[in-house]
PDB file of all heavy atoms in Angstrom:
ATOM      1  N   VAL A 135       0.848  -1.156  -0.097  1.00 95.00           N
ATOM      2  CA  VAL A 135       0.014  -0.042   0.059  1.00 95.00           C
ATOM      3  C   VAL A 135       0.924   1.252  -0.021  1.00 95.00           C
ATOM      4  O   VAL A 135       1.791   1.368   0.876  1.00 95.00           O
ATOM      5  CB  VAL A 135      -0.927   0.088   1.244  1.00 95.00           C
ATOM      6  CG1 VAL A 135      -1.820   1.187   1.125  1.00 95.00           C
ATOM      7  CG2 VAL A 135      -1.772  -1.294   1.369  1.00 95.00           C
ATOM      8  N   THR A 136       0.711   2.128  -0.999  1.00 92.00           N
ATOM      9  CA  THR A 136       1.440   3.330  -0.974  1.00 92.00           C
ATOM     10  C   THR A 136       0.993   4.356  -0.024  1.00 92.00           C
ATOM     11  O   THR A 136      -0.161   4.230   0.433  1.00 92.00           O
ATOM     12  CB  THR A 136       1.437   3.906  -2.456  1.00 92.00           C
ATOM     13  OG1 THR A 136       0.158   4.394  -2.721  1.00 92.00           O
ATOM     14  CG2 THR A 136       1.789   2.891  -3.484  1.00 92.00           C
ATOM     15  N   PRO A 137       1.786   5.430   0.246  1.00 86.00           N
ATOM     16  CA  PRO A 137       1.263   6.408   1.177  1.00 86.00           C
ATOM     17  C   PRO A 137       0.007   7.183   0.621  1.00 86.00           C
ATOM     18  O   PRO A 137      -0.856   7.676   1.425  1.00 86.00           O
ATOM     19  CB  PRO A 137       2.416   7.426   1.177  1.00 86.00           C
ATOM     20  CG  PRO A 137       3.664   6.593   0.919  1.00 86.00           C
ATOM     21  CD  PRO A 137       3.148   5.573  -0.034  1.00 86.00           C
ATOM     22  N   ASP A 138      -0.225   7.019  -0.680  1.00 86.00           N
ATOM     23  CA  ASP A 138      -1.449   7.666  -1.184  1.00 86.00           C
ATOM     24  C   ASP A 138      -2.722   6.736  -1.252  1.00 86.00           C
ATOM     25  O   ASP A 138      -3.776   7.051  -1.636  1.00 86.00           O
ATOM     26  CB  ASP A 138      -1.181   8.053  -2.765  1.00 86.00           C
ATOM     27  CG  ASP A 138      -0.153   9.182  -2.832  1.00 86.00           C
ATOM     28  OD1 ASP A 138      -0.106   9.966  -1.893  1.00 86.00           O
ATOM     29  OD2 ASP A 138       0.563   9.268  -3.835  1.00 86.00           O
ATOM     30  N   GLY A 139      -2.429   5.471  -0.717  1.00 89.00           N
ATOM     31  CA  GLY A 139      -3.549   4.562  -0.651  1.00 89.00           C
ATOM     32  C   GLY A 139      -3.693   3.604  -1.824  1.00 89.00           C
ATOM     33  O   GLY A 139      -4.647   2.834  -1.874  1.00 89.00           O
ATOM     34  N   ASP A 140      -2.759   3.559  -2.764  1.00 92.00           N
ATOM     35  CA  ASP A 140      -2.824   2.648  -3.937  1.00 92.00           C
ATOM     36  C   ASP A 140      -2.372   1.252  -3.387  1.00 92.00           C
ATOM     37  O   ASP A 140      -1.391   0.992  -2.858  1.00 92.00           O
ATOM     38  CB  ASP A 140      -1.860   3.040  -5.044  1.00 92.00           C
ATOM     39  CG  ASP A 140      -2.402   4.322  -5.697  1.00 92.00           C
ATOM     40  OD1 ASP A 140      -3.608   4.494  -5.841  1.00 92.00           O
ATOM     41  OD2 ASP A 140      -1.549   5.214  -6.026  1.00 92.00           O
ATOM     42  N   VAL A 141      -3.309   0.275  -3.699  1.00 93.00           N
ATOM     43  CA  VAL A 141      -3.078  -1.149  -3.229  1.00 93.00           C
ATOM     44  C   VAL A 141      -2.690  -1.988  -4.426  1.00 93.00           C
ATOM     45  O   VAL A 141      -3.319  -1.962  -5.416  1.00 93.00           O
ATOM     46  CB  VAL A 141      -4.394  -1.713  -2.501  1.00 93.00           C
ATOM     47  CG1 VAL A 141      -4.108  -3.145  -2.101  1.00 93.00           C
ATOM     48  CG2 VAL A 141      -4.774  -0.860  -1.423  1.00 93.00           C
ATOM     49  N   SER A 142      -1.592  -2.713  -4.311  1.00 93.00           N
ATOM     50  CA  SER A 142      -1.091  -3.560  -5.385  1.00 93.00           C
ATOM     51  C   SER A 142      -0.754  -4.921  -4.870  1.00 93.00           C
ATOM     52  O   SER A 142      -0.064  -5.048  -3.833  1.00 93.00           O
ATOM     53  CB  SER A 142       0.188  -2.952  -6.031  1.00 93.00           C
ATOM     54  OG  SER A 142      -0.069  -1.717  -6.577  1.00 93.00           O
ATOM     55  N   MET A 143      -1.288  -5.963  -5.515  1.00 94.00           N
ATOM     56  CA  MET A 143      -0.988  -7.290  -5.103  1.00 94.00           C
ATOM     57  C   MET A 143       0.399  -7.714  -5.746  1.00 94.00           C
ATOM     58  O   MET A 143       0.755  -7.379  -6.851  1.00 94.00           O
ATOM     59  CB  MET A 143      -1.998  -8.269  -5.661  1.00 94.00           C
ATOM     60  CG  MET A 143      -1.696  -9.753  -5.319  1.00 94.00           C
ATOM     61  SD  MET A 143      -2.947 -10.877  -5.933  1.00 94.00           S
ATOM     62  CE  MET A 143      -2.169 -12.389  -5.655  1.00 94.00           C
ATOM     63  N   LEU A 144       1.170  -8.401  -4.972  1.00 96.00           N
ATOM     64  CA  LEU A 144       2.513  -8.936  -5.340  1.00 96.00           C
ATOM     65  C   LEU A 144       2.355 -10.375  -5.923  1.00 96.00           C
ATOM     66  O   LEU A 144       2.213 -11.306  -5.223  1.00 96.00           O
ATOM     67  CB  LEU A 144       3.510  -8.997  -4.253  1.00 96.00           C
ATOM     68  CG  LEU A 144       3.717  -7.572  -3.563  1.00 96.00           C
ATOM     69  CD1 LEU A 144       4.710  -7.726  -2.328  1.00 96.00           C
ATOM     70  CD2 LEU A 144       4.338  -6.638  -4.546  1.00 96.00           C
ATOM     71  N   PRO A 145       2.354 -10.508  -7.278  1.00 93.00           N
ATOM     72  CA  PRO A 145       2.195 -11.817  -7.849  1.00 93.00           C
ATOM     73  C   PRO A 145       3.424 -12.660  -7.706  1.00 93.00           C
ATOM     74  O   PRO A 145       4.482 -12.162  -7.768  1.00 93.00           O
ATOM     75  CB  PRO A 145       1.768 -11.563  -9.289  1.00 93.00           C
ATOM     76  CG  PRO A 145       2.532 -10.277  -9.533  1.00 93.00           C
ATOM     77  CD  PRO A 145       2.508  -9.425  -8.296  1.00 93.00           C
ATOM     78  N   PHE A 146       3.290 -13.975  -7.690  1.00 95.00           N
ATOM     79  CA  PHE A 146       4.414 -14.857  -7.671  1.00 95.00           C
ATOM     80  C   PHE A 146       5.138 -14.920  -9.076  1.00 95.00           C
ATOM     81  O   PHE A 146       4.481 -14.927 -10.116  1.00 95.00           O
ATOM     82  CB  PHE A 146       3.998 -16.275  -7.351  1.00 95.00           C
ATOM     83  CG  PHE A 146       5.009 -17.274  -7.663  1.00 95.00           C
ATOM     84  CD1 PHE A 146       6.224 -17.323  -6.861  1.00 95.00           C
ATOM     85  CD2 PHE A 146       4.920 -18.250  -8.648  1.00 95.00           C
ATOM     86  CE1 PHE A 146       7.222 -18.258  -7.101  1.00 95.00           C
ATOM     87  CE2 PHE A 146       5.857 -19.260  -8.866  1.00 95.00           C
ATOM     88  CZ  PHE A 146       7.053 -19.266  -8.114  1.00 95.00           C
ATOM     89  N   ASP A 147       6.395 -14.728  -9.108  1.00 95.00           N
ATOM     90  CA  ASP A 147       7.146 -14.689 -10.269  1.00 95.00           C
ATOM     91  C   ASP A 147       8.418 -15.476 -10.168  1.00 95.00           C
ATOM     92  O   ASP A 147       9.276 -15.079  -9.386  1.00 95.00           O
ATOM     93  CB  ASP A 147       7.451 -13.252 -10.791  1.00 95.00           C
ATOM     94  CG  ASP A 147       8.129 -13.158 -12.133  1.00 95.00           C
ATOM     95  OD1 ASP A 147       8.580 -14.261 -12.627  1.00 95.00           O
ATOM     96  OD2 ASP A 147       8.278 -12.030 -12.681  1.00 95.00           O
ATOM     97  N   PRO A 148       8.575 -16.686 -10.827  1.00 95.00           N
ATOM     98  CA  PRO A 148       9.828 -17.445 -10.638  1.00 95.00           C
ATOM     99  C   PRO A 148      11.092 -16.696 -11.001  1.00 95.00           C
ATOM    100  O   PRO A 148      12.163 -17.066 -10.468  1.00 95.00           O
ATOM    101  CB  PRO A 148       9.618 -18.617 -11.649  1.00 95.00           C
ATOM    102  CG  PRO A 148       8.128 -18.612 -11.917  1.00 95.00           C
ATOM    103  CD  PRO A 148       7.664 -17.267 -11.762  1.00 95.00           C
ATOM    104  N   ALA A 149      10.982 -15.655 -11.814  1.00 95.00           N
ATOM    105  CA  ALA A 149      12.176 -14.881 -12.145  1.00 95.00           C
ATOM    106  C   ALA A 149      12.727 -14.161 -10.931  1.00 95.00           C
ATOM    107  O   ALA A 149      13.997 -13.740 -10.994  1.00 95.00           O
ATOM    108  CB  ALA A 149      11.808 -13.873 -13.240  1.00 95.00           C
ATOM    109  N   HIS A 150      12.081 -13.966  -9.947  1.00 96.00           N
ATOM    110  CA  HIS A 150      12.570 -13.309  -8.677  1.00 96.00           C
ATOM    111  C   HIS A 150      13.326 -14.234  -7.801  1.00 96.00           C
ATOM    112  O   HIS A 150      13.770 -13.790  -6.741  1.00 96.00           O
ATOM    113  CB  HIS A 150      11.431 -12.656  -7.996  1.00 96.00           C
ATOM    114  CG  HIS A 150      10.768 -11.545  -8.685  1.00 96.00           C
ATOM    115  ND1 HIS A 150       9.522 -10.997  -8.357  1.00 96.00           N
ATOM    116  CD2 HIS A 150      11.168 -10.765  -9.691  1.00 96.00           C
ATOM    117  CE1 HIS A 150       9.237 -10.021  -9.212  1.00 96.00           C
ATOM    118  NE2 HIS A 150      10.283  -9.858 -10.037  1.00 96.00           N
ATOM    119  N   TYR A 151      13.448 -15.543  -8.176  1.00 96.00           N
ATOM    120  CA  TYR A 151      14.107 -16.489  -7.323  1.00 96.00           C
ATOM    121  C   TYR A 151      15.264 -17.149  -8.072  1.00 96.00           C
ATOM    122  O   TYR A 151      15.301 -17.234  -9.301  1.00 96.00           O
ATOM    123  CB  TYR A 151      13.143 -17.559  -6.945  1.00 96.00           C
ATOM    124  CG  TYR A 151      11.926 -17.172  -6.092  1.00 96.00           C
ATOM    125  CD1 TYR A 151      10.821 -16.648  -6.638  1.00 96.00           C
ATOM    126  CD2 TYR A 151      11.999 -17.281  -4.726  1.00 96.00           C
ATOM    127  CE1 TYR A 151       9.751 -16.213  -5.928  1.00 96.00           C
ATOM    128  CE2 TYR A 151      10.916 -16.908  -3.921  1.00 96.00           C
ATOM    129  CZ  TYR A 151       9.844 -16.385  -4.499  1.00 96.00           C
ATOM    130  OH  TYR A 151       8.787 -16.033  -3.755  1.00 96.00           O
ATOM    131  N   SER A 152      16.287 -17.507  -7.228  1.00 97.00           N
ATOM    132  CA  SER A 152      17.383 -18.283  -7.780  1.00 97.00           C
ATOM    133  C   SER A 152      17.196 -19.795  -7.408  1.00 97.00           C
ATOM    134  O   SER A 152      16.893 -20.046  -6.229  1.00 97.00           O
ATOM    135  CB  SER A 152      18.741 -17.774  -7.275  1.00 97.00           C
ATOM    136  OG  SER A 152      18.836 -17.896  -5.858  1.00 97.00           O
ATOM    137  N   TYR A 153      17.305 -20.647  -8.383  1.00 96.00           N
ATOM    138  CA  TYR A 153      17.109 -22.045  -8.129  1.00 96.00           C
ATOM    139  C   TYR A 153      18.435 -22.700  -8.220  1.00 96.00           C
ATOM    140  O   TYR A 153      19.010 -22.913  -9.266  1.00 96.00           O
ATOM    141  CB  TYR A 153      16.166 -22.638  -9.178  1.00 96.00           C
ATOM    142  CG  TYR A 153      14.771 -22.077  -9.161  1.00 96.00           C
ATOM    143  CD1 TYR A 153      14.470 -20.840  -9.768  1.00 96.00           C
ATOM    144  CD2 TYR A 153      13.764 -22.752  -8.544  1.00 96.00           C
ATOM    145  CE1 TYR A 153      13.202 -20.264  -9.624  1.00 96.00           C
ATOM    146  CE2 TYR A 153      12.398 -22.226  -8.574  1.00 96.00           C
ATOM    147  CZ  TYR A 153      12.163 -20.980  -9.055  1.00 96.00           C
ATOM    148  OH  TYR A 153      10.910 -20.469  -9.026  1.00 96.00           O
ATOM    149  N   ASP A 154      19.070 -23.000  -7.015  1.00 95.00           N
ATOM    150  CA  ASP A 154      20.419 -23.491  -6.930  1.00 95.00           C
ATOM    151  C   ASP A 154      20.438 -25.018  -6.631  1.00 95.00           C
ATOM    152  O   ASP A 154      19.391 -25.524  -6.235  1.00 95.00           O
ATOM    153  CB  ASP A 154      21.157 -22.710  -5.860  1.00 95.00           C
ATOM    154  CG  ASP A 154      21.135 -21.232  -6.166  1.00 95.00           C
ATOM    155  OD1 ASP A 154      21.265 -20.862  -7.324  1.00 95.00           O
ATOM    156  OD2 ASP A 154      20.996 -20.467  -5.171  1.00 95.00           O
ATOM    157  N   ALA A 155      21.612 -25.611  -6.817  1.00 94.00           N
ATOM    158  CA  ALA A 155      21.912 -27.026  -6.413  1.00 94.00           C
ATOM    159  C   ALA A 155      20.755 -27.894  -6.943  1.00 94.00           C
ATOM    160  O   ALA A 155      20.519 -27.918  -8.146  1.00 94.00           O
ATOM    161  CB  ALA A 155      22.007 -27.113  -4.867  1.00 94.00           C
ATOM    162  N   SER A 156      20.099 -28.643  -6.088  1.00 93.00           N
ATOM    163  CA  SER A 156      19.126 -29.668  -6.448  1.00 93.00           C
ATOM    164  C   SER A 156      17.886 -29.018  -7.043  1.00 93.00           C
ATOM    165  O   SER A 156      17.007 -29.743  -7.636  1.00 93.00           O
ATOM    166  CB  SER A 156      18.778 -30.598  -5.350  1.00 93.00           C
ATOM    167  OG  SER A 156      18.256 -29.794  -4.235  1.00 93.00           O
ATOM    168  N   ALA A 157      17.689 -27.736  -6.859  1.00 94.00           N
ATOM    169  CA  ALA A 157      16.467 -27.048  -7.431  1.00 94.00           C
ATOM    170  C   ALA A 157      16.781 -26.440  -8.795  1.00 94.00           C
ATOM    171  O   ALA A 157      15.786 -25.929  -9.401  1.00 94.00           O
ATOM    172  CB  ALA A 157      16.066 -25.932  -6.424  1.00 94.00           C
ATOM    173  N   GLU A 158      17.957 -26.613  -9.355  1.00 94.00           N
ATOM    174  CA  GLU A 158      18.312 -25.845 -10.529  1.00 94.00           C
ATOM    175  C   GLU A 158      17.459 -26.271 -11.693  1.00 94.00           C
ATOM    176  O   GLU A 158      17.026 -25.442 -12.551  1.00 94.00           O
ATOM    177  CB  GLU A 158      19.794 -26.195 -10.908  1.00 94.00           C
ATOM    178  CG  GLU A 158      20.271 -25.387 -12.062  1.00 94.00           C
ATOM    179  CD  GLU A 158      21.707 -25.605 -12.365  1.00 94.00           C
ATOM    180  OE1 GLU A 158      22.368 -26.365 -11.620  1.00 94.00           O
ATOM    181  OE2 GLU A 158      22.250 -24.998 -13.333  1.00 94.00           O
ATOM    182  N   SER A 159      17.038 -27.554 -11.838  1.00 93.00           N
ATOM    183  CA  SER A 159      16.203 -28.000 -12.949  1.00 93.00           C
ATOM    184  C   SER A 159      14.777 -27.637 -12.836  1.00 93.00           C
ATOM    185  O   SER A 159      13.939 -27.905 -13.713  1.00 93.00           O
ATOM    186  CB  SER A 159      16.336 -29.551 -13.091  1.00 93.00           C
ATOM    187  OG  SER A 159      15.880 -30.138 -11.897  1.00 93.00           O
ATOM    188  N   LEU A 160      14.373 -27.191 -11.654  1.00 94.00           N
ATOM    189  CA  LEU A 160      12.952 -26.884 -11.309  1.00 94.00           C
ATOM    190  C   LEU A 160      12.401 -25.606 -12.070  1.00 94.00           C
ATOM    191  O   LEU A 160      11.226 -25.607 -12.388  1.00 94.00           O
ATOM    192  CB  LEU A 160      12.674 -26.787  -9.883  1.00 94.00           C
ATOM    193  CG  LEU A 160      12.855 -28.086  -9.058  1.00 94.00           C
ATOM    194  CD1 LEU A 160      12.631 -27.732  -7.590  1.00 94.00           C
ATOM    195  CD2 LEU A 160      11.912 -29.120  -9.521  1.00 94.00           C
ATOM    196  N   GLN A 161      13.258 -24.645 -12.213  1.00 92.00           N
ATOM    197  CA  GLN A 161      12.705 -23.332 -12.701  1.00 92.00           C
ATOM    198  C   GLN A 161      11.994 -23.429 -14.077  1.00 92.00           C
ATOM    199  O   GLN A 161      10.842 -22.995 -14.112  1.00 92.00           O
ATOM    200  CB  GLN A 161      13.837 -22.336 -12.851  1.00 92.00           C
ATOM    201  CG  GLN A 161      13.369 -20.966 -13.206  1.00 92.00           C
ATOM    202  CD  GLN A 161      14.424 -19.851 -13.142  1.00 92.00           C
ATOM    203  OE1 GLN A 161      15.568 -20.195 -12.842  1.00 92.00           O
ATOM    204  NE2 GLN A 161      14.130 -18.663 -13.439  1.00 92.00           N
ATOM    205  N   PRO A 162      12.511 -24.080 -15.184  1.00 94.00           N
ATOM    206  CA  PRO A 162      11.782 -24.135 -16.308  1.00 94.00           C
ATOM    207  C   PRO A 162      10.554 -24.980 -16.228  1.00 94.00           C
ATOM    208  O   PRO A 162       9.456 -24.656 -16.847  1.00 94.00           O
ATOM    209  CB  PRO A 162      12.767 -24.819 -17.326  1.00 94.00           C
ATOM    210  CG  PRO A 162      13.775 -25.422 -16.508  1.00 94.00           C
ATOM    211  CD  PRO A 162      13.910 -24.632 -15.318  1.00 94.00           C
ATOM    212  N   VAL A 163      10.525 -26.032 -15.367  1.00 94.00           N
ATOM    213  CA  VAL A 163       9.341 -26.856 -15.145  1.00 94.00           C
ATOM    214  C   VAL A 163       8.239 -26.053 -14.455  1.00 94.00           C
ATOM    215  O   VAL A 163       7.090 -26.049 -14.902  1.00 94.00           O
ATOM    216  CB  VAL A 163       9.696 -28.127 -14.292  1.00 94.00           C
ATOM    217  CG1 VAL A 163       8.445 -28.880 -14.087  1.00 94.00           C
ATOM    218  CG2 VAL A 163      10.818 -28.944 -15.041  1.00 94.00           C
ATOM    219  N   ILE A 164       8.606 -25.243 -13.496  1.00 94.00           N
ATOM    220  CA  ILE A 164       7.660 -24.401 -12.732  1.00 94.00           C
ATOM    221  C   ILE A 164       7.133 -23.331 -13.629  1.00 94.00           C
ATOM    222  O   ILE A 164       5.842 -23.062 -13.636  1.00 94.00           O
ATOM    223  CB  ILE A 164       8.327 -23.849 -11.471  1.00 94.00           C
ATOM    224  CG1 ILE A 164       8.621 -24.984 -10.412  1.00 94.00           C
ATOM    225  CG2 ILE A 164       7.411 -22.757 -10.824  1.00 94.00           C
ATOM    226  CD1 ILE A 164       9.403 -24.525  -9.291  1.00 94.00           C
ATOM    227  N   GLU A 165       7.964 -22.662 -14.397  1.00 93.00           N
ATOM    228  CA  GLU A 165       7.553 -21.594 -15.301  1.00 93.00           C
ATOM    229  C   GLU A 165       6.518 -22.118 -16.297  1.00 93.00           C
ATOM    230  O   GLU A 165       5.509 -21.466 -16.594  1.00 93.00           O
ATOM    231  CB  GLU A 165       8.721 -20.978 -15.982  1.00 93.00           C
ATOM    232  CG  GLU A 165       9.599 -20.161 -15.034  1.00 93.00           C
ATOM    233  CD  GLU A 165      10.882 -19.661 -15.836  1.00 93.00           C
ATOM    234  OE1 GLU A 165      11.141 -20.134 -16.862  1.00 93.00           O
ATOM    235  OE2 GLU A 165      11.464 -18.699 -15.273  1.00 93.00           O
ATOM    236  N   GLN A 166       6.762 -23.328 -16.865  1.00 92.00           N
ATOM    237  CA  GLN A 166       5.831 -23.832 -17.849  1.00 92.00           C
ATOM    238  C   GLN A 166       4.558 -24.258 -17.162  1.00 92.00           C
ATOM    239  O   GLN A 166       3.469 -24.129 -17.738  1.00 92.00           O
ATOM    240  CB  GLN A 166       6.468 -25.001 -18.551  1.00 92.00           C
ATOM    241  CG  GLN A 166       5.590 -25.679 -19.635  1.00 92.00           C
ATOM    242  CD  GLN A 166       6.305 -26.747 -20.404  1.00 92.00           C
ATOM    243  OE1 GLN A 166       7.416 -27.127 -20.091  1.00 92.00           O
ATOM    244  NE2 GLN A 166       5.688 -27.315 -21.463  1.00 92.00           N
ATOM    245  N   ALA A 167       4.629 -24.901 -16.021  1.00 93.00           N
ATOM    246  CA  ALA A 167       3.429 -25.476 -15.354  1.00 93.00           C
ATOM    247  C   ALA A 167       2.519 -24.314 -14.919  1.00 93.00           C
ATOM    248  O   ALA A 167       1.310 -24.440 -14.921  1.00 93.00           O
ATOM    249  CB  ALA A 167       3.794 -26.292 -14.168  1.00 93.00           C
ATOM    250  N   ILE A 168       3.068 -23.145 -14.517  1.00 91.00           N
ATOM    251  CA  ILE A 168       2.275 -22.086 -13.956  1.00 91.00           C
ATOM    252  C   ILE A 168       1.527 -21.346 -15.080  1.00 91.00           C
ATOM    253  O   ILE A 168       0.359 -21.068 -14.981  1.00 91.00           O
ATOM    254  CB  ILE A 168       3.202 -21.083 -13.227  1.00 91.00           C
ATOM    255  CG1 ILE A 168       3.623 -21.706 -11.926  1.00 91.00           C
ATOM    256  CG2 ILE A 168       2.449 -19.780 -12.942  1.00 91.00           C
ATOM    257  CD1 ILE A 168       4.638 -20.837 -11.119  1.00 91.00           C
ATOM    258  N   GLY A 169       2.267 -21.115 -16.236  1.00 87.00           N
ATOM    259  CA  GLY A 169       1.616 -20.366 -17.322  1.00 87.00           C
ATOM    260  C   GLY A 169       1.155 -19.033 -16.950  1.00 87.00           C
ATOM    261  O   GLY A 169       1.915 -18.256 -16.326  1.00 87.00           O
TER     262      GLY A 169
END
C-alpha cells in the first residue's frame, strides 16, 4: 500500500528466485506449469 492509498498485489514470479543446487532443474518446469 503506497502512502497515497494505492493497493497492489505482489504476484508470484519465478524470475525473482534463484534455483540452486538440487533445485536448478525446477525453474523451467515451474515456469511452464504455472503459465
Side-chain angles (χ1 to χ4, degrees):
V135 184
T136 68
D138 294 331
D140 292 321
V141 181
S142 301
M143 179 183 169
L144 300 176
F146 168 67
D147 185 350
H150 292 162
Y151 295 84
S152 63
Y153 296 79
D154 304 321
S156 59
E158 186 176 1
S159 61
L160 292 179
Q161 184 170 2
V163 177
I164 291 173
E165 289 176 344
Q166 183 176 3
I168 290 175

